[in-house]
Amino acid sequence: MLHILQHPLADHAITHLRDRTTKPATFRTLSHQLGLLLALDATRDLPTRSHAVNTPLEPHTGKILAEGLIVVPILRAGLGMVQPYLDLFPEVSVGYVGLERDHQTAVARSYYCKLPPLAGKRVLCVDPMLATGGSAVQALDLLREAGATELSLVVIVASPEGVAAVEKAHPSVPIFTAALDRELNAKKYILPGLGDFGDRLYGT
Ligand code: PRP
Ligand code: URA
């Protein structure tokens, strides 16, 4: 259930995102571009229903989206991936899950959760970094407990350890990523990775 984005623009954007000299303004633009490409990839199987319109020339029956969509960023870095959904989907709701990794233990602590009704909707949990997988598994647990049935996880960089953790805890959840990196270092940062995404996104 791992989908790795295949697009030359994604390769281009992620290479610049990794570059330590990339400044926050450019980092935000590149995150938005990757978020957009991933949003298209992660929603290509959304259900549609037929819809009749009149073109200026004749009647036509086409397709429109059958249902709304819910995007749930994991705060704070996940916020950098939300705008593409707001731009693309007329009927989108946004929920929030706040999780922060402890710098010593790398274990995530929950500090905020605000979710719309989730039952029967496609729910996309977005967070740029899937490292140990602890944050993603906690967020997916929360979303399941809150009633989500159709869940996907969308990240920009994944580690093999993070993918394995999510696949073990939530085997039915597809993971969409722009890159699958090599490994984690001793401090549980992704290698080659791009450092601390939230700090680089917000210049902290
Ligand atoms: C980062 C990232 C993920 C998490 C990934 O967030 O955005 O949420 O780490 O690591 P994991 O897979 O080992 O749990 P962080 O906790 O640094 O918080 P931030 O977004 O507020 O910077
Ligand atoms: N969080 C990040 O922002 N980067 C990593 O490499 C791991 C967790």
Side-chain angles (χ1 to χ4, degrees), residues 77 101 127-132 157 184 187-199:
R101 287 203 328 176
D127 186 341
M129 304 304 277
L130 179 61
T132 65
V157 181
L184 298 179
K187 293 191 163 170
K188 308 295 183 196
Y189 274 78
I190 300 174
L191 297 175
L194 47 75
D196 189 305
F197 199 101
D199 284 351

Side-chain angles (χ1 to χ4, degrees), residues 2 5 7 12 38-39 51 81 104 131-132 137 154 162 171:
L2 180 67
L5 190 59
H7 197 292
H12 174 90
L38 283 162
H51 182 73
M81 297 172 70
Q104 304 302 325
T132 65
V137 168
V154 187

